[in-house]
């Protein structure tokens, strides 16, 4: 009986690893045929398109440029959003007076960008307190800013919240100046 | 006069000791002789097990002591080649039993040692020592937004990676046999998974906005903290249905089954976090303990409750969190720790021990309180655990 218990306990430690299904020769041959076939199609298409190549280039070029510009704009917007950090007092989730201007600035940024995107508000805490309470506190911090942004006219559909509790520190020193930096809301642009 | 000196000694002992240590069973402990042959780290762990168990007066490699003629002898030998631990039970020079423990890797020797000591405790019909053979699961932050879940023995001497990739947090045993765990994975939304550690099968249970953690599991019922509308509240998940237990526009977290008809939880409804209980029959919510500046950790075992309270007014002071034991039936209150930051209390499966994390000068230790023996044991923790269950 004891042996059974022991082997059972040890068995629990073994994590089974599975192997991927290996292709058989028939599949491999088919796969090769498929590869040749697709190569042929590419070559045929290449021949057909040679005449229009220059025309296509001219049409595509401006589109690429506009896409690049758009992408750059999005990247800049994501950076601007990420640069906003709202800080909180110890064990508090109300927005301090000193942080209001940041929330207003963020609201202005979001309202002036009418494109389709989501902003994830991420609540964070310092290292004090238990994980579960901090997880909840981070969530309340994220929700405080979400409510404020909605009051300032931001579309609620654009906002989502998440809490990382104390699992996303920007500073790991055990000091007051460091804890202050970790009690914060971050904002992430999700296209 | 003798009494006066005794009181004086106890008084100064109290002043200068950080924990009160009272050995209740000292007179009645069975005397045993333990001989060991094998690697030194196994011997160290064996000694630690007997120390933490505190049920025996152990004499190591002391067979020639004439005062111990009637003591039972336990011959331990570990072979590294076949990864086998053999324990001979010897009484009056006669081998009365031989037990063998085997693992497929040397790294798992702690499980063999714990089993062997557990069996000796059982042989003497001493109080339960199930905590020795319980497996511990814990989540460890390895980088910002990245936490893995590991399986370990109670002493955290060995660890086996179970789940990695992203934030895997709040692991909790789902069954008494310790085959299945619940845990939260932070994807775009927090997702609750069920994971079988034998088969590796992972099943998605729930997903919601904001927050999702498993706080307690009892007879097929799960207590969760959810925040579908941004407000963290306690919910019970039973037969694939969610029942909302608390409804408060603040923070309610960490729900625990307490006694037959109550649920304890932490709430900031009085401005700071305190432990409250809700009677499920009457619906009445009341504060459990009027002690400390706030209360940040709670765990229960039947009618017993352990609470971590902040004692000093300064939130960042040196002496902050202590553990208190409360009993629902007799309303007794017992202080379990003195000094340091004692948090994350977690009862053992038999309710006789409490595992917790102690932080002192920003170093962490795992503490084990043996309630019946009135003793606390510590061992160092190299990294801060996100959460654990045993």
């Amino acid at each position: 009986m004891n042996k059974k218990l022991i082997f059972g306990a040890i068995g629990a430690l073994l994590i089974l690893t599975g192997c991927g299904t290996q292709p058989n020769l028939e599949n491999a041959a088919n796969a090769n045929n498929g590869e040749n076939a697709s190569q042929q199609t590419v070559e045929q298409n290449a021949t057909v398109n040679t005449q229009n190549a220059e025309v296509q280039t001219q049409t595509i070029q401006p589109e690429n440029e506009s896409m690049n510009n758009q992408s750059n704009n999005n990247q800049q917007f994501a950076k601007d959003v990420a640069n906003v950090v709202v800080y909180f007092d110890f064990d508090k989730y109300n927005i301090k007076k000193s942080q209001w201007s940041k929330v207003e600035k963020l609201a202005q940024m979001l309202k002036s960008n009418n494109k389709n995107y989501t902003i994830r508000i991420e609540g964070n805490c310092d290292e004090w307190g238990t994980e579960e309470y901090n997880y909840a506190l981070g969530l309340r911090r994220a929700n405080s800013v979400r409510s404020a942004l909605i009051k300032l006219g931001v579309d609620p559909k654009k906002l989502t919240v998440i809490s990382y509790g104390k699992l996303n520190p920007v500073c790991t020193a055990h000091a007051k100046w460091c804890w202050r930096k970790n009690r914060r809301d971050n904002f992430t642009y999700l296209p | 006069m003798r009494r006066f000196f005794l009181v004086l000694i106890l008084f100064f002992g109290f002043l200068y000791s950080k924990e009160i240590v009272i050995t209740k069973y000292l007179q009645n402990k069975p005397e045993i002789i333990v001989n060991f042959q094998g690697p030194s780290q196994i011997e160290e762990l064996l000694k630690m097990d007997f120390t933490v168990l505190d049920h025996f007066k152990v004499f190591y490699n002391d067979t020639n002591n004439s005062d111990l003629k009637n003591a039972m002898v336990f011959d331990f030998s570990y072979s590294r080649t076949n990864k086998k631990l053999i324990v001979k039970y010897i009484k009056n020079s006669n081998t009365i039993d031989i037990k063998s423990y085997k693992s497929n890797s040397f790294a798992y020797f702690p499980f063999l040692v714990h089993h062997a000591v557990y069996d000796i405790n059982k042989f003497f019909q001493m109080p339960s020592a199930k905590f020795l053979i319980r497996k511990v699961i814990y989540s460890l932050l390895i980088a910002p937004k990245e936490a893995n879940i590991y399986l370990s023995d109670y002493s955290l001497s060995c660890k086996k990676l179970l789940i990695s990739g992203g934030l895997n947090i709040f692991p909790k045993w789902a069954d008494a046999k310790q085959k299945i765990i619940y845990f939260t994975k932070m994807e775009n939304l927090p997702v609750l998974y069920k994971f079988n550690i034998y088969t590796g099968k992972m099943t998605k249970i729930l997903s919601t906005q904001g927050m999702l953690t498993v706080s307690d599991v009892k007879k097929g019922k799960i207590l969760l903290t959810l925040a579908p509308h941004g407000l963290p509240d306690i919910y019970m998940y039973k037969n694939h249905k969610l029942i909302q237990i608390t409804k408060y526009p603040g923070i309610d977290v960490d729900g625990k089954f307490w006694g037959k008809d109550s649920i304890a939880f932490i709430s900031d409804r009085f401005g700071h976090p305190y432990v409250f209980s809700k009677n499920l029959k009457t619906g009445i919510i009341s504060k459990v303990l009027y002690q400390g500046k706030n209360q940040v950790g709670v765990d229960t075992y039947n009618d017993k409750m352990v609470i971590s309270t902040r004692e000093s007014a300064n939130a960042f002071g040196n002496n902050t969190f202590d553990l208190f034991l409360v009993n629902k039936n007799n309303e007794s209150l017992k202080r379990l720790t003195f000094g340091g930051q004692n948090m994350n209390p977690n009862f053992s499966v038999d309710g006789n021990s409490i595992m917790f994390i102690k932080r002192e000068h920003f170093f962490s230790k795992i503490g084990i309180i043996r309630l019946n023996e009135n003793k606390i044991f510590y061992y160092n923790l190299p990294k801060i655990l996100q959460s654990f269950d045993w």
Side-chain angles (χ1 to χ4, degrees), chain A residues 2 10 14 127 131-132, chain B residues 99 102 104 225 359 386:
Chain A
N2 284 327
I10 289 145
L14 302 174
E127 64 182 70
E131 293 294 337
E132 199 164 330
Chain B
K99 289 186 189 291
K102 194 179 182 330
N104 57 358
T225 303
R359 289 177 70 189
Q386 188 270 332

Side-chain angles (χ1 to χ4, degrees), chain A residues 17 20 22 35 48-49 52 56 63 73 75-76 81 134 137 151 158 174-175 182 187:
Chain A
T17 51
Q22 296 295 317
E35 201 176 291
V48 173
N49 285 338
N52 297 330
Q56 278 179 352
E63 272 182 20
N73 286 341
Q75 277 182 15
Q76 188 54 48
V81 167
N134 273 327
L137 185 61
K151 275 182 189 167
K158 278 189 157 56
H174 305 299
N182 288 334
F187 305 91

Side-chain angles (χ1 to χ4, degrees), chain A:
Chain A
M1 183 62 190
N2 284 327
K3 280 184 185 176
K4 276 183 187 174
L5 271 173
I6 296 149
F7 289 125
I10 289 145
L13 298 166
L14 302 174
I15 302 299
L16 298 175
T17 51
C19 300
T21 322
Q22 296 295 317
N24 55 30
L25 282 175
E26 199 179 305
N27 286 339
N30 287 340
N32 285 336
N33 289 341
E35 201 176 291
N36 290 336
S38 65
Q39 271 176 7
Q40 278 174 6
T41 323
V42 170
E43 276 168 19
Q44 278 169 6
N45 287 342
T47 334
V48 173
N49 285 338
T50 315
Q51 288 173 339
N52 297 330
E54 211 170 303
V55 182
Q56 278 179 352
T57 313
Q58 282 174 353
T59 1
I60 289 164
Q61 191 72 30
E63 272 182 20
N64 278 344
E65 261 181 23
S66 76
M67 277 171 73
N68 283 340
N69 285 341
Q70 196 182 322
S71 162
N72 286 341
N73 286 341
N74 288 345
Q75 277 182 15
Q76 188 54 48
F77 182 68
K79 265 187 188 176
D80 292 343
V81 167
N83 282 337
V84 180
V85 183
V86 176
Y87 294 100
F88 293 84
D89 278 340
F90 174 73
D91 205 15
K92 295 278 186 272
Y93 49 83
N94 58 307
I95 303 167
K96 294 191 281 186
K97 270 186 184 174
S98 61
Q99 304 297 304
W100 259 106
S101 58
K102 294 179 184 176
V103 179
E104 283 168 348
K105 184 186 157 192
L106 181 66
Q108 205 54 47
M109 281 163 59
L110 302 187
K111 281 194 289 183
S112 59
N113 187 342
N114 293 321
K115 284 168 194 153
N116 197 17
Y117 63 88
T118 308
I119 296 296
R120 188 171 64 207
I121 309 171
E122 302 167 354
N124 296 280
C125 301
D126 61 26
E127 64 182 70
W128 291 87
T130 58
E131 293 294 337
E132 199 164 330
Y133 189 81
N134 273 327
Y135 194 8
L137 185 61
L139 186 66
R140 293 309 312 265
R141 284 175 177 166
N143 270 314
S144 294
V145 173
R146 183 181 180 270
S147 303
L149 289 172
I150 293 168
K151 275 182 189 167
L152 291 167
V154 176
D155 182 1
K157 286 175 194 164
K158 278 189 157 56
L159 304 172
T160 174
V161 292
I162 198 162
S163 172
Y164 288 117
K166 48 184 175 181
L167 299 174
N168 185 25
V170 287
C171 180
T172 51
H174 305 299
K176 281 184 184 179
W177 60 268
C178 183
W179 298 323
R180 213 173 288 141
K181 284 184 176 181
N182 288 334
R183 296 191 294 264
R184 70 191 197 280
D185 272 0
N186 285 129
F187 305 91
T188 303
Y189 168 81
L190 304 169

Side-chain angles (χ1 to χ4, degrees), chain A residues 9, chain B residues 45-56 110-122 127-136 152-156 178 348-350 353 355 368 370 379 390:
Chain B
L45 193 69
L46 183 65
K47 286 179 179 174
M48 180 188 152
D49 271 4
F50 278 116
T51 309
V52 175
L53 181 63
D54 199 34
H55 286 173
F56 301 96
F111 287 99
L112 309 188
V113 174
H114 302 328
H115 262 284
V117 176
Y118 171 80
D119 285 344
I120 290 172
N121 185 70
K122 207 173 167 187
S128 170
K130 261 191 175 173
F131 74 94
L132 284 172
I133 53 167
R134 287 289 287 184
K135 293 186 279 287
V136 177
S152 182
D153 64 312
Y154 89 95
S155 67
L156 308 188
Q178 295 196 303
S348 63
V349 69
D350 53 13
S353 307
M355 192 184 266
I368 293 180
R370 303 277 291 123
Y379 42 95
W390 72 330

Side-chain angles (χ1 to χ4, degrees), chain B residues 147-160:
Chain B
N148 295 343
I149 293 175
Y150 298 91
L151 178 78
S152 182
D153 64 312
Y154 89 95
S155 67
L156 308 188
S157 300
C158 73
K159 69 174 182 182
K160 172 84 186 168

